[in-house]
Amino acid sequence: MKNIYITMLLALLVQFTFAQNTLQGTINSQDDQTPLEQVSIYFPQLEKGTVTNSAGYYEINNLPLGEFKIVISYIGFQTYSQTVEIKNNNTKLSLNLMPSAIEIEEVIVSTPFHKLQRENVMKVERTSIKDLKNAGSINLSEGITTIPGVESVSTGVGIGKPVIRGLSANRVLTYTQGIRLENQQFGDEHGLGISDAGIESVEVIKGPASLLYGSDALGGVLYLNPEKFANSNDVEGDVNFNYFTNTQGYNGSAGFKTSSEKIKFLLRAGGSSHVDYKTGNNERVTNSRFNEKDIKTGLAYQLAHFKTELRYNYNNSELGIPEEIGAQTTSRSAVEPFQDITSHIISSKSNLYFNNSSLQAIIGFTRNDRKEFEDHHHEEEHEEEHEEEHEEEHEEEGAALDMLLETLSYNLQYNMPKIGAVETIVGLQGMNQKNSNYGEEILIPDATTNDIGLLATSHIHFSKSDIQLGVRYDIRSIVAEASGTAGEEGFIETVDRNFNSFNIAAGYKLDVSNNFITRLNIASGFRAPNLAELTSNGSHEGTNRFEIGNANLNNERNIQTDLSLEFSNEHFEFYVNGFYNSISDYIYLEPNGTTLNGDAVFLYQQQDANLYGGEAGIHYHPHPLDWLHMESNFSSVTGKLKSSGYLPLIPANNWANTLRIEVNEINESFNNGYGFVTIKSYFAQNNVSDFETKSDGYSLLNLGIGGTITISNQPMELKLSANNILDKEYISHLSRLKTDGISNIGRNINLSINIPL
């Protein structure tokens, strides 16, 4: 028996080590049979691909046996997506691509089966970081607001957090490097906390995603895809730089990546620095400055049946907390009050491929060190248990608020063998999280949170339709230590709570015709109350509120129905998305009419609520003017408490209209040219909660041009954009500075250059 085990182990090792299965072929244009160069051939599940050479030829080595989805895409041609069976040492696949003016379709990674958008049962919005930068966005938080249905709660220009269809904070989960990003996102003035450097694209799930991601995904998911490794036997590099006139700001990064057949490596370092921004009234908002440093690196090892990668992200942000329009200065140095936030994100992803099935394991660790320095705070002696590294950092002046959040997460998923037309994934997910305090102020107590969730989801394919079904069960435990002295102000009692939830999701996609798709999705979600909601008992300096938590809060639970209709042909696209979201035991803050320490007292309450609305849009590029694009989209959301009143922080309805030109080839020295003009109008927001103020409507005019210039065989991407070109003075409804009458950013011109090496 022992010899049999040894023989089987050696056979498996030989298969993993020496399998050299290859896919090769040529890609031509269907019109004239000319070879197409730089066509992308990519296996989403294997995360492996290549591009064609000048003869249209490609070859991908070290492939496992089995059936895998392949995606072949090229600008100006229809994207090809099919399942390919790798069944011997040399599999061939040659294609003729059909010309199309429709933009390249991309694989959606945030959903479990890695399909193109048109193949997905669940509607997911996707946009590239390149497109966000073309629009002149200062940072990622601002950039995502170009996605219909997505806005940002902002504190100046340096601090912003996503709002998806009216829900934000712990109701929206952010994923990066395949793991959840945990950085005290409960706070109103706590931003997204990640740089766009080294991020390739953004995907947004609008609606309950608890089936896939558990608690905190009740309102949706912001999924950040890191940049891919270089193709096998390739070396790439680039340097990019951006300048912003309004904030005299600059950001940039430099990246390098190289890959052999088995080993892949990448490194990117970047940073940014901005002074106080100017409003449309030509006044600088004091202490809205911010600085950031960011490093991302990755290492991967890939064999035919096994792939593993390790990624690491270091980010340090120094963020001023604006409170007034005072001293007019262009200093970049932090002044109190400000936040100093350092994050370390480490993730490991490993895939094991069997014949027609696979196993994936993702393990992540996030360390978020958040310090807030207040203008009335001076150095005081730290607690004896303060870690040595923290003591050294605060020798000159200690942080008033000093929280360390450490999160270990894991995600195991098994793609079962396909049974007929049914694909199934089963998974186990969870996390262990510890919050520790080292400052004199305690916003939330020392606490430990543990999650565990089991899920199963299936995708059933029919000739003209698809069905997706899923179930999940979660358990979350929260144990928080007592803080302070009983009977005195600021005392926090011990909390020991367990929460559980069973959730389901069902979706149906029907291909009414080759050009018309309809989707219907019904999903439930849940969110366990966070530490701030359970334990708060003191002034929250960043919000000017005295918040009192409720240790007896229940789970939030919701059921959302989504209906989408989409039509597209070679020159016209149209979509309508509608949703209705019913939330039980919605947690919200409500003032009780009293004050403590000069701050209004707010209590955490629960009540059922409803949100409803949707998005609609058109995209028209008339024949034969395929270079001309006319786009328009409208977004609306309404949020109400069931008894009476509206929910807070609900975005105003908005309507964006864009006229865009794109010319792929002009001459040998200039190509990939584009230009756009956008008018985005926000309507007045009069549906406000009892302690909010109404907001007036306004319109912003943005424009931009860009393209790739080649000088002495060196291509350079140049971009020039101008946002709020008319220097409009306005206040966004989702600005946390609205109550102080402080306007948003005025005219901002962005000059960008990217040089591939």
Side-chain angles (χ1 to χ4, degrees):
M1 183 66 69
K2 180 178 179 181
N3 291 335
I4 293 176
Y5 286 148
I6 293 175
T7 301
M8 292 175 61
L9 181 61
L10 289 174
L12 187 63
L13 181 62
V14 168
Q15 181 187 23
F16 279 20
T17 306
F18 297 106
Q20 294 293 329
N21 305 310
T22 298
L23 177 70
Q24 61 181 351
T26 56
I27 309 296
N28 298 323
S29 170
Q30 182 169 293
D31 280 354
D32 53 14
Q33 298 300 303
T34 57
L36 298 177
E37 185 178 4
Q38 294 297 305
V39 176
S40 170
I41 297 95
Y42 188 66
F43 287 95
Q45 187 179 349
L46 304 177
E47 298 183 18
K48 189 168 188 176
T50 188
V51 294
T52 56
N53 62 17
S54 59
Y57 176 79
Y58 73 92
E59 181 177 309
I60 305 177
N61 300 311
N62 270 344
L63 295 173
L65 295 175
E67 294 184 352
F68 302 96
K69 175 65 66 71
I70 190 172
V71 176
I72 300 176
S73 57
Y74 187 61
I75 294 177
F77 289 81
Q78 184 174 329
T79 300
Y80 174 89
S81 172
Q82 290 294 335
T83 297
V84 173
E85 184 179 4
I86 308 300
K87 54 187 177 181
N88 53 41
N89 290 339
N90 194 347
T91 305
K92 297 184 182 297
L93 176 65
S94 295
L95 291 173
N96 295 323
L97 294 185
M98 182 179 295
S100 172
I102 297 176
E103 297 174 359
I104 290 177
E105 289 189 274
E106 300 287 350
V107 173
I108 301 301
V109 179
S110 56
T111 53
F113 297 100
H114 290 185
K115 299 183 181 299
L116 295 178
Q117 180 59 278
R118 71 169 183 261
E119 301 168 332
N120 254 347
V121 174
M122 180 186 296
K123 179 67 181 292
V124 179
E125 299 285 352
R126 182 193 182 279
T127 188
S128 68
I129 292 296
K130 181 179 179 180
D131 288 341
L132 299 185
K133 289 185 174 181
N134 287 351
S137 304
I138 287 181
N139 52 31
L140 187 57
S141 297
E142 179 187 350
I144 61 176
T145 62
T146 62
I147 301 172
V150 181
E151 294 295 331
S152 178
V153 175
S154 64
T155 307
V157 294
I159 302 174
K161 63 196 321 171
V163 179
I164 300 178
R165 287 178 169 174
L167 297 177
S168 61
N170 279 97
R171 297 182 181 96
V172 171
L173 187 60
T174 300
Y175 253 62
T176 182
Q177 297 177 195
I179 65 174
R180 54 192 300 150
L181 178 63
E182 292 290 321
N183 61 357
Q184 309 286 12
Q185 58 265 38
F186 70 87
D188 286 351
E189 81 288 12
H190 298 171
L192 188 56
I194 192 166
S195 168
D196 60 17
I199 302 294
E200 186 169 285
S201 62
V202 178
E203 297 175 13
V204 179
I205 300 176
K206 300 184 224 178
S210 292
L211 170 69
L212 304 177
Y213 299 105
S215 180
D216 300 345
L218 174 141
V221 173
L222 184 69
Y223 198 98
L224 308 176
N225 292 312
E227 66 176 306
K228 296 185 180 77
F229 290 95
N231 291 324
S232 298
N233 302 313
D234 198 5
V235 177
E236 299 178 23
D238 70 271
V239 176
N240 63 78
F241 179 80
N242 290 269
Y243 180 75
F244 302 89
T245 58
N246 185 288
T247 61
Q248 299 180 20
Y250 53 82
N251 71 41
S253 71
F256 169 80
K257 49 188 176 180
T258 181
S259 296
S260 64
E261 284 290 344
K262 297 180 180 179
I263 299 177
K264 305 174 185 293
F265 172 77
L266 62 80
L267 173 66
R268 182 168 297 277
S272 64
S273 179
H274 297 260
V275 306
D276 298 343
Y277 77 86
K278 282 196 299 186
T279 69
N281 197 33
N282 204 34
E283 296 177 309
R284 293 201 180 274
V285 178
T286 306
N287 204 26
S288 59
R289 66 202 68 173
F290 63 98
N291 300 283
E292 183 179 48
K293 297 184 286 291
D294 189 83
I295 296 174
K296 293 183 176 75
T297 187
L299 180 66
Y301 180 69
Q302 187 165 19
L303 298 173
H305 290 262
F306 176 72
K307 176 182 183 295
T308 185
E309 69 175 54
L310 181 68
R311 290 182 184 258
Y312 169 70
N313 179 201
Y314 164 83
N315 183 276
N316 175 257
S317 299
E318 195 177 68
L319 305 165
I321 301 177
E323 297 177 328
E324 62 179 359
I325 296 178
Q328 300 293 290
T329 175
T330 56
S331 172
R332 299 178 188 273
S333 300
V335 295
E336 297 174 340
F338 71 92
Q339 302 178 34
D340 189 305
I341 307 165
T342 301
S343 294
H344 301 270
I345 305 171
I346 304 172
S347 64
S348 168
K349 180 170 68 172
S350 299
N351 296 76
L352 191 59
Y353 304 102
F354 313 103
N355 283 347
N356 299 317
S357 68
S358 63
L359 178 66
Q360 182 181 79
I362 302 176
I363 300 174
F365 177 75
T366 303
R367 176 188 169 102
N368 180 260
D369 196 349
R370 178 179 295 273
K371 302 178 180 65
E372 294 186 8
F373 297 84
E374 299 171 8
D375 50 8
H376 64 274
H377 179 78
H378 298 285
E379 181 184 4
E380 294 186 17
E381 212 165 321
H382 285 249
E383 297 177 344
E384 293 181 359
E385 69 268 25
H386 198 300
E387 292 181 350
E388 183 177 344
E389 64 185 57
H390 283 72
E391 292 175 352
E392 293 175 356
E393 291 172 0
H394 302 323
E395 285 179 354
E396 295 183 0
E397 181 177 5
L401 185 69
D402 189 348
M403 298 188 293
L404 178 64
L405 187 68
E406 297 176 302
T407 306
L408 176 67
S409 60
Y410 55 90
N411 184 353
L412 304 175
Q413 290 191 355
Y414 177 57
N415 286 53
M416 300 176 64
K418 193 173 180 180
I419 302 175
V422 181
E423 297 178 80
T424 300
I425 293 176
V426 294
L428 172 68
Q429 296 176 348
M431 75 168 186
N432 171 266
Q433 185 175 86
K434 182 179 180 181
N435 184 71
S436 304
N437 286 276
Y438 299 103
E440 71 172 38
E441 294 184 6
I442 304 297
L443 193 59
I444 56 175
D446 293 354
T448 300
T449 302
N450 283 291
D451 274 357
I452 187 168
L454 295 169
L455 70 95
T457 180
S458 294
H459 189 123
I460 309 169
H461 303 265
F462 300 101
S463 59
K464 294 291 184 181
S465 62
D466 295 83
I467 294 175
Q468 188 168 324
L469 303 169
V471 295
R472 180 180 177 122
Y473 181 74
D474 284 272
I475 299 174
R476 168 171 284 192
S477 69
I478 301 177
V479 178
E481 300 177 11
S483 175
T485 303
E488 294 185 3
E489 183 181 307
F491 173 68
I492 299 175
E493 293 184 348
T494 299
V495 173
D496 189 349
R497 295 287 308 276
N498 290 298
F499 303 90
N500 61 79
S501 182
F502 179 79
N503 290 283
I504 62 172
Y508 178 69
K509 178 180 77 74
L510 174 64
D511 297 329
V512 181
S513 68
N514 291 335
N515 303 111
F516 184 39
I517 297 174
T518 181
R519 294 180 173 93
L520 175 64
N521 284 272
I522 301 175
S524 67
F526 88 105
R527 182 181 74 89
N530 61 46
L531 284 171
E533 294 162 340
L534 292 169
T535 66
S536 290
N537 189 19
S539 295
H540 190 164
E541 302 296 339
T543 60
N544 298 319
R545 294 193 298 252
F546 192 103
E547 299 179 2
I548 299 178
N550 182 351
N552 297 315
L553 293 172
N554 298 318
N555 273 343
E556 289 182 335
R557 303 173 308 280
N558 75 328
I559 297 178
Q560 179 167 310
T561 302
D562 288 89
L563 176 65
S564 70
L565 306 174
E566 302 168 44
F567 176 85
S568 66
N569 60 27
E570 190 174 359
H571 297 286
F572 181 77
E573 298 173 72
F574 170 77
Y575 70 87
V576 177
N577 305 322
F579 76 95
Y580 188 88
N581 189 0
S582 177
I583 306 179
S584 301
D585 291 325
Y586 181 90
I587 301 171
Y588 64 101
L589 275 169
E590 184 175 68
N592 68 354
T594 65
T595 61
L596 279 173
N597 300 331
D599 293 328
V601 175
F602 279 71
L603 307 178
Y604 280 101
Q605 309 277 18
Q606 283 193 300
Q607 186 182 146
D608 294 349
N610 293 316
L611 294 99
Y612 52 88
E615 305 86 36
I618 59 173
H619 179 191
Y620 179 51
H621 32 104
H623 182 74
L625 307 178
D626 292 339
W627 49 267
L628 178 64
H629 299 257
M630 290 173 279
E631 303 171 359
S632 180
N633 65 72
F634 176 79
S635 301
S636 175
V637 59
T638 299
K640 290 184 175 181
L641 292 170
K642 282 192 176 178
S643 63
S644 63
Y646 290 93
L647 297 180
L649 296 175
I650 298 298
N653 295 344
N654 62 83
W655 183 24
N657 293 278
T658 299
L659 181 65
R660 180 164 51 95
I661 60 172
E662 290 183 349
V663 184
N664 293 330
E665 295 184 9
I666 300 175
N667 54 48
E668 293 183 356
S669 299
F670 183 60
N671 54 50
N672 298 325
Y674 71 88
F676 69 86
V677 176
T678 296
I679 298 177
K680 188 165 187 178
S681 299
Y682 287 85
F683 296 81
Q685 178 58 291
N686 297 315
N687 300 331
V688 297
S689 68
D690 293 338
F691 59 93
E692 276 188 309
T693 57
K694 297 179 179 180
S695 301
D696 296 330
Y698 57 91
S699 295
L700 303 177
L701 176 64
N702 307 324
L703 55 86
I705 57 173
T708 301
I709 297 175
T710 302
I711 301 175
S712 300
N713 295 323
Q714 174 61 61
M716 294 182 292
E717 296 179 24
L718 299 177
K719 305 171 188 176
L720 179 66
S721 62
N723 290 345
N724 190 8
I725 190 66
L726 300 181
D727 211 17
K728 175 80 173 181
E729 185 177 10
Y730 70 98
I731 300 178
S732 165
H733 184 69
L734 296 186
S735 170
R736 291 188 56 257
L737 305 180
K738 182 179 66 166
T739 54
D740 297 317
I742 299 176
S743 299
N744 288 70
I745 189 170
R747 181 188 300 116
N748 187 29
I749 299 174
N750 167 226
L751 175 64
S752 172
I753 180 171
N754 179 64
I755 304 175
L757 304 175

